[in-house]
Amino acid sequence: MDSSRASLVTYLKLLAEAPHDGTPVVLETERALSLHFDLHATQSLMSRRDPNALVLGYTRAMMGFLLLHPEPARIGRISLIGLGGGSLAKYCYHHLPGAKVVAVEIDPAVIALRETFHIPPDGERFEVVCADGADYVQGREARPDVILVDGFLAGGMPARLGSPSFYEDCLERLADDGVLVANFLEDDEQIPFYLDAVRAAFGEGVSLALSEDGCNYTLFAWKGGAALPPLDTLLARAQGLEAAHPLKLRATARRLRQGRRFATERGWWQAPGRRR
């Protein structure tokens, strides 16, 4: 049986046997492993050939926070809300060796899959915490340079991760020049509400970029009130990072600049997922 037919058989088996109750399910094919909470969306995708690569476009877009740090190698702490298959957590751990990476995941069943997805064991530079991310950011014991929010359940993004109080807590938890990055589904009708809440907390330091796959929006919000660097500066940073981070950062730089309009002009949102 060729690999494409084997993958189809595996998917049909998933359709027949998935529990339909939000329990995480792993789909294994010859080339990849993927994590699913239902039959409609892929939560995480891992290449067997390169388990630490960022396969999904929105995950590469979220790494655009590198463009907002003049010296990314000096990033000391990264907090992730939502572990999933660990794509972002693994990438940050392996490609930013100076950073302590803490992933916060509410579902023990997801954490139980960490070995399946080659997620590192807990140690000095890596930790998985079983907790509600909205509660976690209320703590003050550490101040991350970056908070990445990619927390989803079977029904979508939990309401607490899009609430005004959550964004206020992220602002307080972040280091003085910290960056918040959040993943939104393209058709989420609450995006204008999230933007209002983020602007109320962070001021004008906000951008909303369409991911390269067109299925997600990536929110960037930064502390300190600094203006977003001009496109030439962002492109120069992207070029300097590309050898160590093959993430299509130059395209992300352009979307980051374009996203200032999405984040600041209230009239842009005509219908969910239809405005470019």
Side-chain angles (χ1 to χ4, degrees), residues 172-204:
E172 291 299 319
R173 183 74 186 257
L174 280 166
D176 290 341
D177 58 352
V179 179
L180 169 69
V181 186
N183 174 39
F184 300 143
L185 296 180
E186 180 201 34
D187 59 357
D188 189 337
E189 297 182 2
Q190 298 299 310
I191 289 178
F193 171 79
Y194 306 147
L195 284 174
D196 284 345
V198 172
R199 282 194 297 260
F202 284 81
E204 294 302 311

Side-chain angles (χ1 to χ4, degrees), residues 6-262:
S7 297
L8 176 60
V9 170
T10 302
Y11 181 69
L12 292 175
K13 188 172 185 288
L14 173 67
L15 290 177
E17 298 180 0
H20 305 287
D21 62 358
T23 300
V25 175
V26 178
L27 174 62
E28 300 189 41
T29 67
E30 180 181 350
R31 297 181 179 179
L33 273 68
S34 55
L35 178 68
H36 306 262
F37 294 145
D38 55 37
L39 303 178
H40 307 292
T42 299
Q43 300 297 324
S44 190
L45 183 62
M46 184 189 81
S47 165
R48 289 187 183 274
R49 177 178 296 180
D50 187 355
N52 299 322
L54 293 178
V55 179
L56 297 177
Y58 88 86
T59 59
R60 293 191 291 270
M62 291 185 73
M63 290 301 299
F65 70 80
L66 294 169
L67 300 171
L68 299 176
H69 281 275
E71 299 180 80
R74 298 186 64 180
I75 294 174
R77 188 178 181 93
I78 300 172
S79 295
L80 301 99
I81 308 303
L83 175 65
S87 298
L88 283 164
K90 289 187 298 181
Y91 187 90
C92 291
Y93 173 73
H94 288 288
H95 291 270
L96 294 169
K100 168 71 179 287
V101 179
V102 179
V104 183
E105 172 58 50
I106 196 171
D107 188 348
V110 171
I111 296 175
L113 296 170
R114 64 188 296 173
E115 291 187 7
T116 300
F117 285 95
H118 299 197
I119 296 172
D122 286 359
E124 183 177 350
R125 287 193 49 244
F126 191 88
E127 182 181 6
V128 175
V129 177
C130 187
D132 187 320
D135 292 332
Y136 182 81
V137 296
Q138 293 176 358
R140 297 293 181 266
E141 67 275 11
R143 303 187 69 200
D145 299 288
V146 183
I147 296 177
L148 301 174
V149 184
D150 187 23
F152 286 84
L153 302 173
M157 190 176 79
R160 292 189 72 193
L161 298 187
S163 67
S165 60
F166 174 72
Y167 296 123
E168 292 166 4
D169 289 335
C170 286
L171 177 72
E172 291 299 319
R173 183 74 186 257
L174 280 166
D176 290 341
D177 58 352
V179 179
L180 169 69
V181 186
N183 174 39
F184 300 143
L185 296 180
E186 180 201 34
D187 59 357
D188 189 337
E189 297 182 2
Q190 298 299 310
I191 289 178
F193 171 79
Y194 306 147
L195 284 174
D196 284 345
V198 172
R199 282 194 297 260
F202 284 81
E204 294 302 311
V206 181
S207 179
L208 185 71
L210 185 68
S211 299
E212 66 183 75
D213 53 18
C215 296
N216 303 73
Y217 282 102
T218 306
L219 169 80
F220 297 89
W222 52 94
K223 290 183 68 171
L228 183 66
L231 180 59
D232 288 349
T233 299
L234 293 174
L235 290 173
R237 291 179 183 178
Q239 184 172 1
L241 290 165
E242 196 64 33
H245 299 279
L247 301 171
K248 302 182 180 179
L249 287 173
R250 278 177 284 189
T252 299
R254 292 186 176 90
R255 293 189 181 96
L256 189 57
R257 283 298 312 180
Q258 293 168 354
R260 285 288 295 137
R261 176 173 62 88
F262 288 165

